[in-house]
Every structure is written in C-alpha cells, then in structure tokens.
Amino acid sequence: MQASSSPQEISTALPAILARHGHDGTRLMQILREAQEAEGWLSPALLTEIARAVGRPRAEVEGTAAFYSFFHTRPRGKYCVLWSDNITDRMLGNRELLKALCSKLWLEPGRLSEDGLVSVNTTSCTGMCDQGPAVLVNYRAITRMTMERVDAMAELIRNQVPLAEWPAEWFAVEDNVRRADILLSSRFEPGSALRAAVARASADGLVASNDRSVRESLPHGLVGPTALLDEIRLSNLRGRGGAGFSTRLKWEACRNAPLKEGQTRIVICNADEGEPGTFKDRVLLTSHADLVFEGMTVAAYAVGATRGFVYLRGEYRYLLEPLQEVLARRRAAGLLGRNILGIPGADFDIEVHLGAGAYICGEESALIESLEGKPGRPRIRPPFPVTHGYLEQPTIVNNVETFACAALIALKGGEWFATIGTRQSTGTKILSVSGDVERPGLYEYPFGVSVAEVLQDCGVTNCIQAVQVSGPSGVCIGQDELDRKIGFEDIPTAGALMVFDCTRDMFDVAHNFAHFFAHESCGFCTPCRVGTQIVARLMDKLASGHGSPYDINEMFKMHRLMQGASHCGLGNTACNPMIDTLTKFKPAYERRLKSLDFVPGFDLDAALSQARQMTGRDDAAAHLAGTD
Amino acid sequence: MNATTPPAKPKLRVATTSLAGCFGCHMSFLDIDERLLQLLELVEFDRSPITDIKHCGPCDLGIIEGGVCNAENVHVLREFRKNCKVLVALGACAVNGGLPAQRNHLDLRDILEAVYETEGGLAQGAHIPNDPELPLPLNKVHPIHEVVKVDYFLPGCPPPADAIWKFLTDLLAGRTPHLGHGLLHYD
Amino acid sequence: MSEQNSFLLDGEEIPFSPGQTVIQAAKAAGKYIPHLCWHPDFAPHGSCKLCTVKVNGRFGSACTTAATAGMNVDNRTPELDDKRRTLLQLLFVEGNHFCPSCEKSGNCLLQATAYDLGMMSPHFDHFFPDRPVDASHPDMLLDFNRCIMCALCVQASREVDGKNVFAMGGRGMRGRRVIVNSESGRLADTDFAATDRAANVCPVGVILKKRVGFAVPIGQRTYDKAPASIVEVVK
C-alpha cells in the first residue's frame, strides 16, 4: 500500500532500492518506480538523493521523472485512480462511471482531494479494451468496472482499505482467446526451440551472408547461429509491431555490427504495447511467456547477444512478478544465464524493465532511451539501433509476437512457417478485437484474412460503420472496405481492430484520438509538440459547436505539415484519424459546423464570466452573442 | 456628364479604429506626413479618429489597431468586419494581443480585485465598477484574428510610417503587400 | 572530382567534405538554410525542424542529414518556406512572444527568422501559457515564456561549461520546458555564471544578462543591421 512519505521512510526504503540496482543511473526508471512505490511520490529531496546516489545531474533525474505520466513529482493521493480513456472505454460508459466516482468522493477529476486521500483522472488506453471499462488504482489494473463496483470502490477508498484487501476478482484479467492458431494454441515445451536451433546444422548453400560475428564474439564452435538465421530467412518473418521490417535483415545487421571493447549485443523485447486497442502482448506474456523468452534467447543465439530486456509498459505492472518467476524457472532449467544448455560461453540473461506511462516509448529508439534511464525521446536516426542501440551497442528491438514466432521457427523450421499466411506476409497474426462485437478478445488467423471474415467470427449484431485498424495511428476503414485483408500487402497492422457500429459518432472517435496524440507527444519537435495541440483544440472547437469550414481546412494544413516535418512516426501519423474520418465520414463533422463564416475558437460570452462575477452584473450589455 | 473625360475613379472608403491599443499605431499612421495628401487623393475616410464618424458604414478597407479586451471591442470589431471588404490588423496588439495580452497569464478576478479593492491608496469603499455603461473586460485579451476573420496583418509596435505607407500603397495599387528587411518589425 | 564531393542545393553545386551535414556544407558555401536549434559549435539537436529540406524528394532535417555525393536538396522552395512559416507560427503561439517588451528584440534568432520568411501574423489561436520567470540569480534572468526547446543551453552547460545547469523538462506541453539543476528549482541555487557559454547561447530571450538589456539600442542590433539569411551564414 502506498502512503505519502515521511523523511524516515526515505532513509529506510531508498538505500535498499539503490543497492539492488547497483547505484546504476541507467536503471533510473526502475529506481524511480520502486522509490515511488515505497514513498508514494518523488519529492524534491528524494530526487536529489537519487541523483547523488547514481552520480547523475539532478536536473537530468528530474527530467526523467517529469517526462513519464506515471511518475509523480508532486504529492499524490494515497489512492490514485486512473480511468483508461480509450474510445472503447468511452463506448462502455467510462465517463459516467468516472463522474459517479468523483461525485461519491466529492472531488473534481484531476484534483487531489483536500485530505490528500484520493485523486481520480484519466489515462491513455490501458490495454483492457476487451474487458473495459478499465481503471488503474495505484497502477494496478482493474477490469469490467460497473456502477456497483464504483459504489464499492468509493466505500473502500473512504474507509482507506488497503488495495491488497480489495476484492480479488476486480483484478482478474482474462485472456479472452477466441480463435487460436500456431501461437495461441502452442503447447510449448521450454527449451525445445533452443535445442532444435543448436542441433540444426548449417544447410548447404543457405549459409547466411556473413560469418564475421562468429569469429568475433559468438561462443566457440557453434555453427547453429548461421543455420538459424537461414531458417528465419526462409520463414520470411516480418516484424509484428506494425511496420513489418524483415526480421532476418534486422538480426543480420546487428550480428554484423562490429563490437567495441567491452560491448555486447543486446536483444530487446518491445512490450510497450501502447497503441490504443491493442492487447495481444499482454496475453502472450500472461500465458505464453516461455515462448516469448525462448524467442528472445533464440535471437540472442542468432546475433550473439548476452543481454536481454523486456520493456514492459507500466500499465502491465501486475505482470512483473509472474514474468520474473518464469525467468527464474528458466534460469534454474539452464535456459538462461551462463552456459545455456550446457554450451560453454553461451551466456544470455533477460531482465524485465517497466515503463511508466509514455506511448512514445513504443518507438524503438525512445524505448532504448528509456531503458537507459532517460526521457523517451526518439533519437536522430541514422545511426540505427542495430549498430548503435542500448548504450551504443548493437541492439535488436522486436515485438513480443515476433519473438514468439521466432521460437516456433527455431523449433519447426522456416519452411513450415512460410507455408502459413501469404507470400509477403507469412505466418499468423494475432488480432485484438474490441468495440461493437459480441465476443471481444484475441483472434489469431493466418495472414490474408479479410476484415469481414474476422467480424463474422467476432459476432456483429448491428450494422458496421467503421473499423479502426492498428489504433489511432492506423487506418479507419468504412463499410465498403471490409473485404480488405490483414497483411503487409494491404493493411499492415500490429493487430488492433476497434469496431464501430452505425450508432457511433465517428467524430467522437477522431476527437478521442486527437487528444490521445496531444497527450502522448513527447514534445521534442515543433510540428508534433504544437501541432497535436492545435489539432486537439480544433476538434474541441468543432465539438463545442464553434466550428466552421475554416477549421477543417486548418486540420488538413496541419496534416500536411506534420506528416513531412515531424521527428518520428507519432507526429507523422497523428492527423490520420482526422483525415480518415473527414474523408470517409464528413457529415459527422459538417453537422457540427456552426456557420459557414469564421467563428471564434472560444466562447465570447463565457469570456465575460469572471467580470460578471466580480461586478455582479447580468444586464444585456454584460453578455455577448456567439456570432453576430 | 462629359463624354470626353473618363469618369473619376471612385475613391476607396477606409475606416480605422483603435480597440485595446494606445493609438500609437494611428500616430505612426499620421507620421506618413505629407504623403497623407497623396493618400487622400485615393481614399476617403469613414469611421476614424480623423472624421469622428461614430459608426462604420460600408467600406473597402477597415484598419484595426489594438486587441480585443472587452465586450465593446467585440461589437466594434464585428461592425468593422461586417462592413469592410478587407480587414487589416495594424500593429502588435491587433496581431498578437501585444502589451494588454501580457495580463493573460493572470486570473482576471485577481486583477480586478487587486486594482479596485486591495491595492493601497484606494478611496474608502472602493469597489469593482459595475456601471452598465462600462464594457465588461474579457477573461483574456485576444488578437483580432481570434474573433473575426482578418485579411492582412501589419505588425510592429507601432509599425513604422514607411511600413504603413508601403503596405497601403501596395494594397491600393492592387499588389499583395510586401515589407522587406527593415520594414517588417514585431517591436 | 566535383561529382564525388558535391551535392545540389536548389540546383547549385555545393562542395562538402566527408562527415559534413547538409547544413554545414551549405553554410560553408554561403548558403542559408533557415534554422533555430542548430548552432555551428554544437551537435545537431534536430528539434525545431526549421531546416526541413527535401532530399531527393523526401523531407529531412538539414542539420541531421549527412551530405552525400550527388544528392539533390530543395531548400528555399515556396513549399518549404511555407512550412517553415507555419512552424514559426506554431512557436509564436505556443509561448508568450511579446517582442515590444523583450530585451532580446533585434538579437533574437526566432524573430529574425520570422522576418526573413515574411511571417506577418501568428495565424493560430494563442495558447497564452503561464510560465515562470526566474530572477533569483544575481546576474542572470530566465524567462521561460520564450523558450523554443532548442536545448542549446543544455548542451553548452554540459559540454563546454561542464556544469549540467539545465536539462530538458516535461513531456509535450506539460511541465517545465527546461529544468534547472537545483532542488529548489531556482537558478540562484546552481553554479551558473554569467560567463558560462550557456549564458550566451540562447537564440531567443530566455537566458538574459541583467542590467545590460538595452546597452545596444534597438535599431543597432545584430539583425537590424542585416537579415538572418546573411548573419547566420557569415557568423
């Protein structure tokens, strides 16, 4: 249970935390999180102490603490309630529940209660779209909120019942696997893929392009790595995070990157899964963690890495201990650590690092910055992580699902994998389906499945208006496009499908996404930092009935600017939801337009409110009409 | 009408006003000095401090100095927008709120309270004026383009007379106004 | 020979030496690429995006793009200058940039660049943020109302002064723009000095020396004498 800190507590909890992390400044994210879990918030004195202990400038430490939504540099309530605010949560009524909770607790959203007991606010999608409305209470996930649970929660908070004593079923997170294929149905035996990889002899004529890394750093006497890379090549595996980069090219580039003195190669599993509407990695890590870890180990074997990280989004904090248990089991079984499978020099270990509420850390270079204890701002590229990644070392960053695929490829071979799916998109894809369907959850299909087929399996009762594929930064497809196919040939996706039936207002969808991007922009570059704000304000203006065609033109203008000039993908794609819905669902905007003339972006009459209050006037001249 | 002489080109009708400004831009306008006579060959003034006409009629050109800080500013600005084919924001305050907008980071209630009730040197029983004749101040000061559509902007505090002259002569000659180095200033 | 060590900038051949970025080579050749966060003495930051050019038809930052032989770079095209004007407008409305009351006026690269690109208005609705002014230091003033997040002060303090007085703060529009290296957050409680390189590197009016604000009268300042397009190439 987190309580607000007293000076004594700082002196007892912090030294142990710092010692556990070796006073290592690159582990700042973990130190800050654990310090906050112990002390309640990151007070100025605490930050000074941490900076001193890790030997980094205090301003840098504060900079990291200030960057992440889940770090609190101001006193936080004993109970911090954050409502997941994805559009799917809204469709399930989260706004009403939030309001109800606030009124029961006598507080305003976003404000700490006067007694310092509780704050209630919203947060970006917590990855529970199939079992929303979801909340985080002190960063622990609670699913399926109802009005009854809100009543009970208010009671528990008022009576200051420790979180550990709250009803256990509230914290239950379901897998909701509705259709399983090779990944979700695999009964994977830990170590089997590694053994297969090591046993695999180098196939004639398929030796991977370069054997330099074997000479340089791979355990002596191994021929398996090149053979394994050949299998990855045969499989035609492409990244599951959405971009679809060739896994073989990435791994080979890392493997071929020269190492400097004291360096190693690094394998990172991107479990930041922040794209609203996506929750497949949560299930893979809940029920198939061995498959994922084995995939990472296979990758380490292929590229010659000795260190591995799982960067787990802060929203999945509850998975930390279970994952650490799996890792411990694997170490005990000789599948991690030194001399893996008894092979001398085959050393590799994995640790789980938690993020702290920053969508941008799903971008691989921002993720690496975060792993180094810094704010998650995407790096200038080139150089790319495969040559200059974690602490300047050659690094591969792959999606959770990619590693799971890699383990199966190591086990069953690339040719087997390539028979599944389509030519350009081999294997299967796990889709996270939420919104207006009867059975939200995970659906795994061979690539090439059409959206319509998926919808049929999910159970659609009402007429479909649109499907948002790949989250806010993806693509919004309309009724007449449902025959489009999931795959790199048509719709590349990390796998989120949010379904909207004909009763939904597509403007509301885009409005929600606009605020998501404004909240999540890292602020590094001008076009994204300010542009996402301008767009969110334009959408607010339209939503409040002050819009004109002028504002719609402005949105297209911002799109043209941000798409080319932004530093990374966030800014480049941040206008997609507006442009897609403006193109496909324009009436949703038009019926909000106030007039065809220019309309101010603020309420003129409301702008006189303070003067009215202070003068006590309410005469005609003390009011202004919205327009002439 | 004499058929041999071409009809005189009708003069453009121009209105000017100052909202939340200091009239410095108007003073700078007058600083075009003898060129005013040239200008008067081409334009005639509607509502303006020069004519003392109280309400703006249909005009070709409206020139606004100052930002929008109270309800009356809104009414005047709307009157100009409704009547002027082309509306120009003249000077820093019209363009970005200028000096008056530097109150924008403060809460208006705190300002009113401080100025009329709590600051030293106030008469006994001083209170925030609430006479209906007085326009109420807006929570924030806004540049004019945040309240109506504006066609041209001529920044400066004030814009130099030469900039105003260049701007107007360009406009009257049918060119898109262009100020080069030295004439374009925000201060 | 020239083909191996040159690229085209708006159709003109620009020589470069290996390792130079597009903006470095352009400056050496006397060509102006508008910029704010780039400074010839420091590593490129790549955040302001004013130096966005088109390299072989694709957008990129001139300060972070390595010059390569034969590349075709568009710089002062109407399309790119239009984007730059919009970027400037975004910077003007997100902060509080009141030039008439800013002592940096005339020496400000943001202002001079906006003049050079003919920015006539901020166009967007202003954010009018509430940002702190730190006047605690005896010799220096920090006015974050004008911060454009170029991080030059961070780099200068770290790399030249060896002090780490500043770090970039917050995320997006939230939090402080720049974090000062003291528990109180006050500049007076750091080892910052007016002689620091970081005290003399701010391109806008955030980091100011006290008592000398108007030593050089308005009208006789850096960009009064010549526009940014000339000053920034010569300096």
Side-chain angles (χ1 to χ4, degrees):
Chain A
M1 186 68 251
Q2 286 111 39
S4 43
S5 66
S6 68
Q8 288 84 354
E9 280 172 318
I10 289 179
S11 58
T12 56
L14 190 60
I17 293 166
L18 289 164
R20 188 159 60 249
H21 292 287
H23 298 83
D24 181 355
T26 66
R27 307 180 65 86
L28 185 59
M29 290 289 291
Q30 309 313 305
I31 295 171
L32 290 173
R33 176 181 54 78
E34 290 178 25
Q36 178 171 285
E37 283 181 5
E39 312 293 345
W41 66 292
L42 300 168
S43 67
L46 192 62
L47 291 177
T48 302
E49 184 56 23
I50 291 171
R52 196 195 51 74
V54 302
R56 277 170 70 165
R58 190 192 181 285
E60 268 182 40
V61 172
E62 188 181 339
T64 296
F67 184 84
Y68 297 91
S69 294
F70 290 180
F71 289 149
H72 298 256
T73 53
R74 256 172 259 156
R76 180 197 103 178
K78 189 171 177 183
Y79 297 91
C80 170
V81 182
L82 293 173
W83 289 82
S84 176
D85 201 23
N86 187 24
I87 185 70
T88 53
D89 294 289
R90 290 207 184 178
M91 286 154 58
L92 293 165
N94 74 331
R95 288 269 145 175
E96 293 70 27
L97 296 172
L98 180 152
K99 253 187 243 158
L101 183 64
C102 282
S103 76
K104 281 178 203 312
L105 293 168
W106 292 92
L107 50 81
E108 273 178 65
R111 291 290 259 293
L112 181 60
S113 61
E114 281 184 19
D115 55 2
L117 178 67
V118 54
S119 66
V120 176
N121 211 338
T122 57
T123 187
S124 299
C125 178
T126 61
M128 303 288 168
C129 320
D130 57 333
Q131 44 204 302
V135 288
L136 297 174
V137 179
N138 294 350
Y139 302 105
R140 294 293 169 147
I142 295 177
T143 58
R144 286 174 290 260
M145 283 300 291
T146 58
M147 210 46 102
E148 291 71 43
R149 286 189 175 186
V150 162
D151 290 343
M153 186 183 281
E155 223 23 57
L156 290 166
I157 290 172
R158 268 200 302 261
N159 295 327
Q160 306 202 25
V161 176
L163 210 57
E165 292 167 31
W166 287 24
E169 68 270 20
W170 290 10
F171 300 92
V173 178
E174 302 294 331
D175 279 359
N176 288 335
V177 174
R178 312 289 187 180
R179 186 185 196 283
D181 206 302
I182 58 171
L183 294 171
L184 294 173
S185 70
S186 83
R187 293 214 178 79
F188 181 74
E189 184 199 328
S192 57
L194 271 174
R195 284 190 191 91
V198 173
R200 188 166 284 118
S202 191
D204 276 351
L206 284 175
V207 176
S209 59
N210 193 314
D211 63 352
R212 195 167 78 197
S213 63
V214 177
R215 289 199 314 270
E216 271 186 2
S217 69
L218 282 176
H220 180 71
L222 291 184
V223 291
T226 48
L228 177 61
L229 273 173
D230 285 337
E231 295 302 328
I232 298 291
R233 187 176 81 139
L234 283 172
S235 75
N236 198 18
L237 176 62
R238 296 171 69 172
R240 265 37 177 174
F245 190 77
S246 156
T247 304
R248 174 189 64 119
L249 291 179
K250 188 183 277 189
W251 289 14
E252 275 188 6
C254 176
R255 171 185 166 77
N256 294 339
L259 289 180
K260 292 199 193 95
E261 184 68 27
Q263 286 192 331
T264 178
R265 297 194 174 84
I266 307 288
V267 171
I268 296 174
C269 174
N270 183 347
D272 198 49
E273 195 163 58
E275 193 71 47
T278 319
F279 44 88
K280 68 185 177 65
D281 295 341
R282 157 171 60 78
V283 177
L284 282 172
L285 290 170
T286 304
S287 300
H288 302 273
D290 262 306
L291 189 64
V292 176
F293 291 147
E294 187 122 341
M296 290 177 69
T297 315
V298 160
Y301 178 66
V303 305
T306 58
R307 278 189 89 179
F309 295 97
V310 174
Y311 188 89
L312 181 67
R313 67 186 309 222
E315 288 80 351
Y316 297 163
R317 167 67 185 83
Y318 70 97
L319 284 175
L320 178 62
E321 286 83 10
L323 287 174
Q324 283 171 337
E325 278 165 35
V326 177
L327 289 173
R329 239 184 4 250
R330 291 181 66 84
R331 273 181 215 113
L335 300 175
L336 279 178
R338 302 192 80 85
N339 305 330
I340 292 172
L341 293 179
I343 304 166
D347 301 341
F348 179 67
D349 212 331
I350 296 171
E351 52 182 309
V352 183
H353 275 229
L354 271 173
Y359 165 73
I360 189 61
C361 289
E363 196 279 341
E364 62 176 7
S365 68
L367 183 155
I368 291 170
E369 287 284 297
S370 185
L371 267 182
E372 294 180 2
K374 300 180 211 160
R377 297 196 184 94
R379 293 177 175 174
I380 294 166
R381 302 186 304 170
F384 292 95
V386 286
T387 57
H388 296 74
Y390 177 72
L391 299 177
E392 295 288 296
Q393 301 170 103
T395 302
I396 55 165
V397 184
N398 281 114
N399 182 262
V400 174
E401 190 180 345
T402 312
F403 283 121
C405 292
L408 289 186
I409 292 164
L411 181 66
K412 300 188 178 180
E415 275 181 29
W416 163 78
F417 191 84
T419 59
I420 305 163
T422 69
R423 255 174 72 91
Q424 294 295 313
S425 317
T426 53
T428 61
K429 188 77 203 74
I430 305 177
L431 303 175
S432 316
V433 183
S434 60
D436 294 317
V437 295
E438 280 178 354
R439 293 176 297 279
L442 291 192
Y443 293 77
E444 183 184 7
Y445 294 92
F447 268 115
V449 67
S450 73
V451 176
E453 286 173 75
V454 179
L455 292 180
Q456 202 159 27
D457 290 348
C458 306
V460 173
T461 45
N462 212 336
C463 76
I464 295 298
Q465 183 174 201
V467 181
Q468 184 77 26
V469 186
S470 261
S473 67
V475 53
C476 180
I477 63 173
Q479 217 171 23
D480 52 347
E481 301 171 272
L482 297 180
D483 56 348
R484 290 185 64 179
K485 293 184 168 37
I486 302 296
F488 300 109
E489 299 93 331
D490 187 3
I491 312 179
T493 173
L497 264 71
M498 291 185 271
V499 182
F500 305 102
D501 71 20
C502 296
T503 67
R504 304 295 178 184
D505 186 334
M506 292 310 291
F507 175 86
D508 289 341
V509 176
H511 190 196
N512 176 271
F513 293 166
H515 278 277
F516 168 75
F517 285 118
H519 180 75
E520 296 296 346
S521 169
C522 84
F524 173 80
C525 74
T526 309
C528 178
R529 178 180 70 245
V530 194
T532 52
Q533 289 287 333
I534 298 265
V535 170
R537 285 161 197 236
L538 286 168
M539 292 296 282
D540 287 348
K541 182 177 177 181
L542 286 160
S544 63
H546 290 129
S548 71
Y550 172 91
D551 303 301
I552 289 175
N553 288 337
E554 290 287 285
M555 223 118 55
F556 280 104
K557 176 178 169 171
M558 291 313 301
H559 177 58
R560 286 191 298 272
L561 175 74
M562 290 162 68
Q563 204 180 24
S566 295
H567 181 62
C568 79
L570 194 159
N572 279 313
T573 57
C575 291
N576 285 1
M578 273 56 70
I579 301 307
D580 269 2
T581 46
L582 270 168
T583 310
K584 296 172 185 177
F585 304 99
K586 204 166 181 206
Y589 288 77
E590 282 164 342
R591 69 187 129 83
R592 287 186 159 78
L593 300 187
K594 174 100 172 182
S595 95
L596 295 178
D597 294 327
F598 179 88
V599 182
F602 62 102
D603 185 331
L604 280 161
D605 190 53
L608 290 175
S609 59
Q610 294 178 2
R612 273 198 299 271
Q613 182 192 337
M614 297 308 279
T615 57
R617 282 177 51 189
D618 198 27
D619 53 280
H623 289 275
L624 277 168
T627 46
D628 256 334
Chain B
M1 200 199 322
N2 190 334
T4 55
T5 48
K9 201 176 165 192
K11 286 184 175 182
L12 290 181
R13 203 159 169 86
V14 179
T16 77
T17 192
S18 178
L19 306 175
C22 69
F23 275 99
C25 296
H26 274 81
M27 300 307 288
S28 193
F29 182 27
L30 294 178
D31 273 346
I32 66 174
D33 294 333
E34 75 284 357
R35 288 172 291 189
L36 264 176
L37 300 174
Q38 267 173 274
L39 186 66
L40 285 172
E41 305 272 306
L42 301 168
V43 308
E44 58 188 3
F45 282 93
D46 192 279
R47 171 175 173 165
S48 169
I50 297 169
T51 60
D52 213 26
I53 297 173
K54 299 298 182 201
H55 285 282
C56 178
C59 285
D60 299 290
L61 183 63
I63 298 176
I64 310 280
E65 172 194 337
V68 184
C69 89
N70 64 31
E72 191 215 6
N73 294 156
V74 175
H75 294 306
V76 174
L77 182 57
R78 283 175 168 172
E79 181 182 295
F80 268 70
R81 179 68 275 183
K82 202 184 245 173
N83 286 293
C84 302
K85 287 185 200 155
V86 169
L87 199 65
V88 180
L90 178 69
C93 301
V95 169
N96 74 352
L99 191 74
Q102 290 191 266
R103 77 157 158 94
N104 280 354
H105 69 284
L106 301 170
D107 191 285
L108 177 66
R109 287 165 293 204
D110 296 341
I111 299 174
L112 290 173
E113 204 169 61
V115 170
Y116 292 106
E117 290 178 347
T118 57
E119 281 296 292
L122 292 169
Q124 198 68 26
H127 65 94
I128 298 167
N130 59 358
D131 189 325
E133 288 292 304
L134 293 173
L136 290 182
L138 297 162
N139 296 351
K140 286 188 189 305
V141 178
H142 295 268
I144 66 170
H145 74 267
E146 294 183 10
V147 179
V148 297
K149 182 180 163 295
V150 176
D151 302 298
Y152 293 99
F153 298 83
L154 176 50
C157 185
D162 286 347
I164 297 175
W165 178 247
K166 173 77 164 67
F167 184 90
L168 287 177
T169 48
D170 274 353
L171 208 58
L172 295 175
R175 294 185 294 266
T176 304
H178 177 79
L179 309 174
H181 180 74
L183 287 183
L184 175 55
H185 264 281
Y186 303 152
D187 62 358
Chain C
M1 187 192 85
S2 73
E3 204 154 86
Q4 276 174 354
N5 284 315
S6 72
F7 62 90
L8 287 179
L9 183 72
D10 287 337
E12 261 186 81
E13 205 166 296
I14 305 290
F16 71 92
S17 38
Q20 273 188 319
T21 57
V22 169
I23 203 170
Q24 284 173 325
K27 179 175 151 55
K31 297 292 168 199
Y32 174 60
I33 300 178
H35 60 265
L36 294 173
C37 68
W38 180 74
H39 189 292
D41 295 350
F42 295 95
H45 191 237
S47 67
C48 75
K49 300 296 173 194
L50 257 286
C51 74
T52 298
V53 290
K54 256 188 175 172
V55 180
N56 298 331
R58 292 190 58 170
F59 292 108
S61 302
C63 70
T64 59
T65 303
T68 56
M71 65 178 11
N72 193 357
V73 182
D74 292 337
N75 174 29
R76 299 305 301 269
T77 63
E79 180 201 15
L80 286 165
D81 277 353
D82 192 49
K83 286 190 191 302
R84 289 174 181 138
R85 260 189 302 277
T86 307
L87 288 169
L88 288 163
Q89 288 167 328
L90 295 180
L91 287 168
F92 270 84
V93 299
E94 74 157 342
N96 293 312
H97 297 278
F98 296 111
C99 299
S101 56
C102 177
E103 58 190 70
K104 191 68 177 247
S105 193
N107 290 325
C108 171
L109 185 58
L110 174 67
Q111 184 194 55
T113 307
Y115 291 166
D116 214 85
L117 286 160
M119 189 194 98
M120 300 302 282
S121 86
H123 179 80
F124 300 101
D125 284 12
H126 287 69
F127 294 8
F128 293 126
D130 185 10
R131 300 229 191 101
V133 174
D134 181 347
S136 63
H137 194 279
D139 303 320
M140 301 297 301
L141 178 78
L142 297 179
D143 188 341
F144 290 111
N145 286 295
R146 301 150 184 171
C147 183
I148 58 167
M149 305 193 89
C150 69
L152 281 170
C153 59
V154 178
Q155 279 203 68
S157 185
R158 183 177 60 220
E159 284 153 29
V160 183
D161 307 325
K163 288 185 178 180
N164 293 297
V165 171
F166 303 108
M168 298 313 290
R171 184 173 91 210
M173 299 298 271
R174 291 183 303 286
R176 298 179 75 110
R177 305 224 114 188
V178 170
I179 290 170
V180 171
N181 196 31
S182 65
E183 192 173 303
S184 64
R186 289 168 9 121
L187 190 63
D189 297 331
T190 68
D191 51 356
F192 195 55
T195 49
D196 284 358
R197 185 70 203 275
N200 299 280
V201 78
C202 181
V204 294
V206 178
I207 306 177
L208 297 168
K209 284 197 173 71
K210 288 182 175 174
R211 298 177 292 277
V212 295
F214 293 94
V216 179
I218 298 274
Q220 297 173 30
R221 296 180 170 198
T222 307
Y223 301 108
D224 292 329
K225 294 179 204 148
S229 52
I230 290 171
V231 174
E232 289 305 301
V233 171
V234 176
K235 108 175 163 193

